[in-house]
Amino acid sequence: MSAWTADELDRVGRAEELRLASSRPDGTLRPAVTIWVVRVGDDLVVRSAYGPGNGWFRRAQASGRGRVEAGGVTRDVRFVAADPAAHDAVDAAYHAKYDRFGPRIVGSVVGPQVVDVTLRLVPEGA
């Protein structure tokens, strides 16, 4: 299996949170962090709240690989920089899914400051 299935996209996209573990250089997984995830079309996307210095983001970006778990789905993935052209659609998905938490917290993952800290989750082999 290489690409997200429709069922996986639905389940992960509906999940409130996602557990993400990046790979160490020796291939073992780091401890997982819990973050928000959104679905935009056939993509699953995560963003680093509070910028590029966030530890999980630095490690995911450096390793480029890891594992995610959400909605009963567990997949090994690559972390790929999202296309900046998708920024508005990703913002809209975060607003639609998480606005109930209030503007302060949602504001940490939407807006121009998060363009460079947006990662697509690409299943291994895709």
Side-chain angles (χ1 to χ4, degrees):
M1 183 183 313
S2 58
W4 295 111
T5 66
D7 180 58
E8 288 172 327
L9 285 168
D10 288 343
R11 290 166 57 195
V12 175
R14 282 193 315 263
E16 187 72 22
E17 296 175 319
L18 173 130
R19 304 235 338 123
L20 178 149
S22 58
S23 296
R24 293 184 176 103
D26 67 4
T28 61
L29 294 172
R30 297 182 184 283
V33 297
T34 302
I35 59 174
W36 285 349
V37 60
V38 294
R39 177 181 177 178
V40 178
D42 289 338
D43 288 328
L44 295 169
V45 180
V46 295
R47 284 180 165 168
S48 175
Y50 313 113
N54 202 324
W56 77 262
F57 178 79
R58 285 192 336 268
R59 291 185 293 273
Q61 192 175 42
S63 73
R65 288 183 159 52
R67 180 172 295 150
V68 296
E69 301 174 18
V73 174
T74 301
R75 289 292 301 265
D76 289 332
V77 297
R78 289 180 292 119
F79 305 114
V80 178
D83 181 351
H87 179 74
D88 290 342
V90 176
D91 270 5
Y94 270 98
H95 279 297
K97 188 171 181 181
Y98 296 112
D99 265 358
R100 69 185 183 281
F101 291 103
R104 189 175 135 260
I105 190 164
V106 174
S108 69
V109 290
V110 298
Q113 77 280 4
V114 293
V115 170
D116 294 334
V117 293
T118 304
L119 298 174
R120 287 179 45 240
L121 306 175
V122 179
E124 279 290 355

